[in-house]
C-alpha cells in the first residue's frame, strides 16, 4: 500500500472518530455507513443477534444511551499497510443504564486499543481491547 493510502486510512479513522464524538446517534450511524463496510468483521464483544456494521451500530447505541457525553480521544495512531492501530482514551458520564447498572452519574476514563483493517477506504475488520475492568471499577460495579 502506498504512503498516500496509509495516510488516507488514518485520515478516514480520524473523521470517523469526529462523528462518534458528536454524541448524535444519527451522525454516528451515518458515519458507520460511510466508513465501515457492511460486512465488517468485528472481533470484540458485541450484542447478540447482529453482525457487521449493524453490530457496531448497536454498540454505539448502547454507549451513547449510557454515556451521552462519551468522547474518544485518539492518543496515537500507527499505520502500516492496510491497518491503522489507534490507542484511545474514552471518557464519559454514566447517565443511562449500562451493563445492567442503573445510572450513577459517575465519570469514567479508560483506555482502549483498536486495530482497523481497511480496503478501498473503508474499515473491513476491527480488533479491539477495551479496559472494561477500569471502567466497571469507576462505576462502582467492582471493588477497586
Amino acid at each position: 500500500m502506498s504512503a498516500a493510502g496509509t495516510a488516507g486510512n488514518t485520515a478516514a479513522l480520524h473523521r470517523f472518530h469526529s462523528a462518534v464524538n458528536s454524541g448524535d446517534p444519527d451522525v454516528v450511524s451515518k458515519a458507520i455507513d460511510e466508513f465501515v463496510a457492511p460486512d465488517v468483521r468485528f472481533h470484540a464483544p458485541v450484542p447478540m443477534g447482529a453482525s457487521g456494521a449493524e453490530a457496531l451500530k448497536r454498540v454505539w447505541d448502547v454507549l451513547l444511551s449510557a454515556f451521552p457525553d462519551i468522547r474518544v480521544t485518539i492518543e496515537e495512531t500507527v499505520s502500516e499497510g492496510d491497518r491503522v492501530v489507534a490507542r484511545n482514551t474514552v471518557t464519559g458520564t454514566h447517565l443511562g443504564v449500562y451493563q445492567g447498572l442503573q445510572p450513577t452519574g459517575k465519570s469514567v476514563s479508560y483506555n482502549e486499543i483498536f486495530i482497523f483493517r481497511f480496503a478501498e477506504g473503508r474499515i473491513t475488520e476491527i480488533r479491539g481491547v477495551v479496559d472494561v475492568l477500569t471502567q466497571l471499577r469507576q462505576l462502582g460495579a467492582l471493588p477497586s
Side-chain angles (χ1 to χ4, degrees):
M1 172 167 283
S2 70
T6 301
N9 291 342
T10 301
L13 184 61
H14 280 276
R15 288 193 310 274
F16 176 69
H17 275 103
S18 290
V20 163
N21 286 332
S22 72
D24 182 329
D26 291 332
V27 170
V28 173
S29 180
K30 288 176 185 170
I32 291 170
D33 290 339
E34 179 180 351
F35 295 107
V36 179
D39 59 347
V40 64
R41 293 186 313 180
F42 192 24
H43 305 282
V46 296
M48 299 302 289
S51 62
E54 287 306 311
L56 190 57
K57 287 179 183 181
R58 288 189 188 181
V59 166
W60 278 103
D61 285 344
V62 167
L63 289 172
L64 288 167
S65 293
F67 305 96
D69 62 346
I70 194 166
R71 179 131 187 104
V72 178
T73 302
I74 298 176
E75 303 294 348
E76 67 180 308
T77 58
V78 178
S79 302
E80 184 176 314
D82 62 352
R83 288 178 174 78
V84 178
V85 178
R87 182 179 63 83
N88 307 319
T89 299
V90 181
T91 56
T93 309
H94 183 215
L95 301 176
V97 176
Y98 180 70
Q99 302 281 345
L101 295 172
Q102 293 301 312
T104 62
K106 293 181 178 181
S107 295
V108 296
S109 179
Y110 58 93
N111 298 309
E112 61 184 17
I113 297 174
F114 278 91
I115 303 169
F116 300 90
R117 192 171 80 192
F118 284 79
E120 300 175 13
R122 295 180 87 186
I123 299 167
T124 58
E125 186 173 15
I126 302 170
R127 292 183 182 275
V129 178
V130 177
D131 187 359
V132 176
L133 182 61
T134 293
Q135 178 195 63
L136 292 176
R137 281 182 173 158
Q138 290 173 359
L139 294 175
L142 297 172
S144 298

